[in-house]
């Protein structure tokens, strides 16, 4: 059995007892030890508590004054901190807080009514992170077009002229394509944790940009497949550092009510990078024997603005708080929020949660500043963190199970096998890139309304039938009909992937871990994703040779149904919760969560869809102390 007091962003450290209770991760507004039974009951009901909720007003204001003095914050921000603490204590009742003036209340209403209205520094940060994502997509797609010609140029042909070496050469081509993923899952993903600790989010992203700037030149100049694999390993270091750090950076800087829309910019602009990569592949696809070199080398272009612009955005305020740099955290929040009141509210609320968390860790007899290895072990031993580890692993594995990288890495090869020329295959890949980018945009506006989980449950069944149909279209005898049908259903598959399983995994993994385990947790998630991505890239040329596209597509279509079941039972919803409040979401043991899904949600959905009870509301698993759903109504 595990215990936690306070809805906080740091990890809870657990101990074991032989009891009849499930393992739980409880939350409370700083209760006394005698309230353990109440805490257990609340945790099993999915309570999400505000640790400031029941503190008397005079005591809260005294705590705020002490906090300002102890942290060396300027005296002139005390009024903002006082109003911010009162607002954090009762966000749903802001209309009745006497200390808030008309302007303050208007600002709070605008958080709902004009939720996309934020200062330029916030959007500049997201734009820079979007550039990093575009690099990622371009890096992935450069090999897509080059796969049509670099094997022959480097002496590892896989076509009809390879004779007895076909099987070996297919594995070599797969290895070259998989090298970035192998590097990320074995090395680059894991060094992100110490680099983030010492360099911060901005420093780590800048270092990643350096690798992304120079590795494409190495790929373009490679003379052997070994050299190409080595330079793609360097490319993988840059890709891995960005994959771990950029979504976390966006999540830690974003306001709660649009965090999903902003963090999923990683996928939107990764899709844009894929599209730009297909454009570059097409532009240089017929320039002669050096076309594949230009396709690889073109990926340096988006790295230039990232290298130059990273240091102009504010550092993550939560990283500053983790380092005890409260003044810097305040200055960062002032740049990232519309008003000083909002900055003060967020600063004090996060601080209160971290203080409570540190107390729990110390009472557990464990080290607040544990080593990277210890934190890795805790990903699987601390109940609250273990649930986040499992959920992030599921969405990351599902991204590879759905089959998207069959197309992202090998679409040109797949289209060529449908009977078209190499240049026409590049045009077909261009269409895939365009569809992938256009259909990623709806998620910006649905991620925080429909929710992460709902998007996944909607898109996976549709990816199943569209991918299966695309595979069956290879059996069409007429060449022109076959080409048109394959392209159509591949595009439909991409259209369903882009707003769902495309943006959710990295965004979801960046938000579910507590602050002390966020870097190592994201490293785990990214390593998981890239391990299976590398496995797919390594094996796909051989699978295509043995099972042909129809069999390969059918295999991955079936995996979509397996992924759908995993998501249904193991991925809780996280929309409209602060990063700290997600402790309460992951307080519920998975046994209880799975019973709720099968015993409550599935029957409710069946009655609603097939029983004509469309107005029936699904019973809630969680209760949130900070529920402010009536703010929009009050504003109206």
């Amino acid at each position: 059995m595990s215990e936690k007091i306070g809805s906080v962003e740091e990890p809870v450290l657990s101990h074991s007892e032989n009891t009849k209770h499930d393992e739980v991760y409880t939350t409370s507004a700083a209760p006394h030890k005698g309230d353990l039974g109440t805490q257990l009951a609340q945790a099993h009901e999915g309570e999400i508590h505000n640790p400031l909720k029941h503190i008397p007003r005079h005591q809260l204001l005294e705590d705020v004054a002490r906090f300002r003095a102890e942290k060396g914050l300027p005296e002139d921000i005390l009024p903002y901190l006082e109003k911010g603490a009162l607002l954090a204590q009762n966000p749903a009742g802001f209309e009745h807080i006497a200390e808030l003036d008309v302007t303050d209340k208007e600002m709070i209403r605008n958080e709902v009514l004009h939720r996309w209205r934020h200062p330029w520094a916030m959007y500049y940060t997201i734009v820079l992170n979007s550039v990093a994502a575009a690099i990622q997509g371009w890096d992935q797609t450069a090999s897509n077009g080059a796969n049509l010609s670099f094997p022959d140029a480097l002496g590892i042909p896989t076509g009809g002229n390879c004779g007895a070496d076909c099987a070996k050469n297919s594995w070599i081509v797969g290895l070259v394509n998989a090298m970035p993923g192998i590097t990320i899952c074995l090395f680059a993903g894991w060094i992100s944790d110490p680099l983030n600790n010492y360099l911060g989010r901005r420093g780590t992203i800048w270092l990643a940009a350096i690798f992304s700037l120079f590795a494409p030149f190495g790929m373009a100049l490679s003379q052997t497949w070994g050299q190409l694999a080595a330079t793609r390993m360097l490319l993988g270091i840059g890709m891995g550092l960005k994959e771990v750090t950029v979504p976390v950076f966006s999540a830690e800087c974003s306001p709660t009510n649009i965090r999903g829309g902003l963090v999923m910019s990683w996928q939107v602009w990764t899709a844009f990078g894929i599209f730009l990569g297909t454009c570059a592949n097409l532009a240089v696809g017929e320039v002669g024997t050096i076309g594949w070199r230009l396709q690889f080398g073109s990926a340096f272009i988006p790295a230039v603005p990232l290298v130059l612009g990273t240091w102009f955005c504010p550092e993550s305020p939560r990283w500053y708080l983790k380092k005890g740099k409260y003044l810097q955290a305040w200055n960062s929040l002032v740049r990232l929020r519309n008003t000083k009141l909002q900055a003060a509210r967020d600063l004090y609320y996060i601080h209160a949660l971290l203080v409570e968390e540190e107390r729990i860790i110390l009472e557990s007899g464990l080290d607040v500043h544990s080593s990277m290895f210890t934190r890795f072990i805790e990903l699987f031993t601390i109940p609250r963190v273990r649930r986040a580890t499992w959920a992030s692993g599921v969405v990351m594995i599902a991204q590879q199970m759905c089959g998207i990288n069959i197309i992202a890495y090998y679409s040109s090869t797949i289209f060529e096998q449908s009977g078209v020329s190499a240049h026409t295959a590049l045009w077909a890949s261009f269409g895939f890139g365009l569809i992938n980018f256009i259909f990623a945009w709806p998620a910006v506006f649905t991620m925080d309304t429909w929710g992460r989980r709902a998007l996944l449950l909607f898109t996976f069944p549709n990816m199943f039938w569209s991918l299966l149909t695309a595979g069956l279209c290879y059996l069409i005898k007429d060449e022109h009909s076959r080409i048109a049908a394959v392209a159509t259903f591949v595009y439909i598959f991409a259209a369903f992937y882009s707003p769902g399983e495309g943006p959710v995994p990295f965004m979801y993994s960046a938000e579910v871990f507590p602050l002390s385990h966020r870097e190592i947790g994201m490293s785990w998630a990214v390593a998981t994703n890239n391990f299976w991505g590398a496995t797919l890239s390594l094996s796909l040329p051989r699978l295509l040779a043995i099972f042909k596209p129809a069999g390969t597509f059918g295999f991955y279509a079936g995996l979509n149904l397996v992924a759908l079941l995993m998501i249904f039972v193991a991925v809780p919803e996280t929309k409209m919760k602060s990063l700290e409040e997600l402790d309460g979401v992951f307080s519920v043991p998975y046994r209880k969560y799975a019973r709720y899904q099968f015993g409550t949600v599935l029957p409710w959905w069946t009655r609603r869809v097939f029983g004509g009870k469309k107005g029936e509301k699904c019973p809630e698993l969680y209760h949130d102390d900070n529920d402010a759903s009536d703010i929009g109504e009050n504003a109206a």
Side-chain angles (χ1 to χ4, degrees):
M1 180 172 59
S2 64
E3 177 183 354
K4 178 174 183 287
I5 305 175
S7 174
V8 300
E9 196 175 49
E10 293 279 322
V12 158
L13 305 168
S14 59
H15 59 279
S16 299
E17 295 178 7
N18 295 321
T19 74
K20 64 182 180 180
H21 297 292
D22 293 327
E23 285 186 317
V24 296
Y25 182 90
T26 68
T27 59
S28 174
H32 299 293
K33 293 183 178 180
D35 294 329
L36 181 58
T38 302
Q39 295 174 50
L40 290 173
Q42 290 172 336
H44 279 285
E45 293 302 319
E47 293 284 342
I48 300 171
H49 284 283
N50 182 340
L52 305 177
K53 192 75 174 180
H54 302 295
I55 299 177
R57 182 180 179 281
H58 70 278
Q59 180 183 335
L60 179 63
L61 296 179
E62 290 175 1
D63 292 342
V64 169
R66 189 180 309 112
F67 162 75
R68 185 210 63 78
E70 290 177 353
K71 303 305 178 184
L73 296 171
E75 189 172 352
D76 61 355
I77 75 168
L78 181 59
Y80 297 108
L81 286 171
E82 291 176 338
K83 291 195 290 186
L86 292 170
L87 179 57
Q89 184 183 55
N90 186 20
F94 72 95
E95 295 282 5
H96 308 293
I97 299 177
E99 286 78 3
L100 300 181
D101 58 30
V102 173
T103 303
D104 295 332
K105 293 178 181 179
E106 183 67 19
M107 174 274 298
I108 299 167
R109 295 188 198 101
N110 285 337
E111 288 185 328
V112 175
L113 300 177
H114 303 284
R115 62 193 185 111
W116 294 101
R117 185 182 296 170
H118 294 282
W120 75 268
M122 165 62 71
Y123 285 113
Y124 177 81
T125 301
I126 299 302
V127 166
L128 260 293
N129 289 346
S130 300
V131 171
I135 299 171
Q136 207 80 352
W138 201 324
D139 288 341
Q140 292 175 16
T141 313
S143 63
N144 190 322
N147 280 331
L148 296 175
S149 51
F150 90 78
D152 290 332
L154 297 182
I156 48 173
T158 58
N161 59 340
C162 58
D165 292 330
C166 275
K168 182 184 74 172
N169 290 349
S170 294
W171 286 109
I172 292 175
V173 171
L175 177 65
V176 170
N177 279 291
M179 188 54 69
I182 294 172
T183 304
I184 294 169
C185 74
L186 295 181
F187 176 69
W190 302 108
I191 64 171
S192 299
D193 180 274
L195 287 176
N196 269 275
N197 183 51
Y198 292 112
L199 301 179
R201 312 300 188 224
R202 293 183 305 174
T204 305
I205 293 171
W206 182 82
L207 181 62
I210 294 295
F211 280 95
S212 295
L213 179 63
F214 291 106
F217 291 107
M219 293 189 295
L221 297 174
S222 296
Q223 301 300 311
T224 66
W225 71 262
Q227 293 174 3
L228 181 58
T231 53
R232 285 182 63 77
M233 180 181 69
L234 297 177
L235 182 73
I237 295 176
M239 293 176 68
L241 295 179
K242 292 196 300 292
E243 283 188 357
V244 171
T245 308
V246 171
V248 167
F249 188 28
S250 295
E252 291 183 342
C253 292
S254 300
T256 298
N257 63 335
I258 59 168
R259 187 177 67 241
L262 293 181
V263 178
M264 68 82 51
S265 65
W266 171 262
Q267 174 58 25
V268 170
W269 296 103
T270 296
F272 183 63
I274 290 174
F275 170 66
L276 291 179
T278 61
C279 293
N281 289 341
L282 189 60
V284 299
E286 292 192 320
V287 299
T289 57
I290 64 168
W292 67 271
R293 296 185 182 277
L294 297 176
Q295 288 168 337
F296 276 129
S298 65
F300 88 92
I301 296 172
V304 175
L306 187 63
V307 169
L308 298 177
T310 300
W311 298 105
F312 294 99
C313 60
E315 179 59 90
S316 163
R318 284 178 167 89
W319 184 82
Y320 279 136
L321 289 175
K322 186 177 181 179
K323 292 295 184 178
K325 300 178 179 181
Y326 280 79
L327 181 57
Q328 291 93 324
W330 163 255
N331 292 332
S332 180
L333 280 168
V334 167
R335 293 182 64 189
L336 292 168
R337 299 295 181 262
N338 283 315
T339 67
K340 289 185 177 181
L341 173 59
Q342 291 169 304
R345 175 196 60 192
D346 292 352
L347 178 71
Y348 190 74
Y349 187 54
I350 297 171
H351 159 76
L353 298 172
L354 295 179
V355 166
E356 187 67 16
E357 183 62 34
E358 182 172 335
R359 183 180 69 81
I360 297 301
I361 294 175
L362 293 174
E363 287 182 356
S364 301
L366 296 171
D367 186 4
V368 177
H369 306 289
S370 56
S371 66
M372 175 181 168
F373 177 75
T374 300
R375 282 181 284 117
F376 175 76
I377 297 300
E378 289 170 350
L379 291 178
F380 308 97
T381 57
I382 299 173
R384 178 265 183 267
V385 184
R386 183 173 65 238
R387 293 169 194 135
T389 301
W390 172 240
S392 66
V394 165
V395 295
M396 285 295 198
I397 292 172
Q399 190 175 68
Q400 303 303 332
M401 292 173 69
C402 77
I404 186 61
N405 282 336
I406 295 175
I407 303 166
Y409 285 104
Y410 292 101
S411 64
S412 298
T413 302
I414 287 170
F415 285 126
E416 188 182 41
Q417 290 192 14
S418 70
V420 301
S421 67
H423 190 63
T424 303
L426 290 176
W427 271 108
S429 293
F430 168 82
F432 162 74
L434 181 61
I435 293 291
N436 190 37
F437 173 58
I438 291 174
F439 281 87
W441 279 101
V444 174
F445 307 101
T446 58
M447 189 69 69
D448 292 304
T449 53
W450 291 13
R452 292 72 156 138
R453 176 183 168 84
L455 287 173
L456 294 178
L457 295 178
F458 169 73
T459 56
F460 265 93
N462 289 294
M463 287 192 293
F464 158 71
W465 71 259
S466 56
L467 191 62
L468 178 62
T469 307
L472 294 175
C473 287
Y474 277 91
L475 305 179
I476 297 174
K477 298 298 183 181
D478 180 73
E479 180 176 313
H480 295 291
S481 299
R482 180 174 64 250
I483 294 167
V486 168
T488 297
F489 286 101
V490 165
Y491 293 165
I492 292 173
F493 170 81
F496 282 118
Y497 166 83
S498 295
E501 183 58 15
V504 169
F506 284 90
M507 191 273 312
Y508 190 87
S509 300
E511 65 185 3
V512 296
F513 291 98
L515 180 59
S516 64
H517 289 70
R518 190 163 294 147
E519 296 97 333
I520 193 69
M522 192 63 180
S523 296
W524 147 263
V526 167
T528 301
N529 183 278
N530 281 274
F531 172 80
W532 293 108
T535 301
L536 186 150
S537 298
L538 183 63
S539 62
L540 189 61
R542 194 61 189 149
L543 284 176
L544 289 172
I546 297 173
F547 298 114
K548 307 304 178 186
T552 303
F553 276 38
F555 172 71
Y556 279 100
L559 291 183
N560 275 275
L561 296 181
V562 177
L564 176 66
L565 178 62
M566 294 166 58
I567 289 165
F568 183 74
V569 299
V571 178
E573 183 57 75
T574 58
K575 70 171 183 175
M576 301 305 290
K577 298 288 184 291
S578 74
L579 296 179
E580 297 77 29
E581 291 166 349
L582 290 180
D583 282 344
V585 171
F586 289 96
S587 70
V588 179
Y590 269 127
R591 289 186 294 273
K592 180 180 178 66
Y593 186 78
R595 287 196 298 268
Y596 169 73
Q597 295 303 321
F598 284 112
T600 302
V601 175
L602 188 59
W604 164 80
W605 182 83
T606 303
R607 291 192 301 271
R608 188 171 181 268
V609 174
F610 300 107
K613 298 185 178 181
K614 294 187 177 181
E616 181 180 350
K617 186 177 180 180
C618 183
E620 295 285 346
L621 178 63
Y622 305 104
H623 171 71
D624 188 356
D625 273 353
N626 287 333
D627 184 9
S629 58
D630 60 338
I631 289 179
E633 298 174 4
N634 291 337

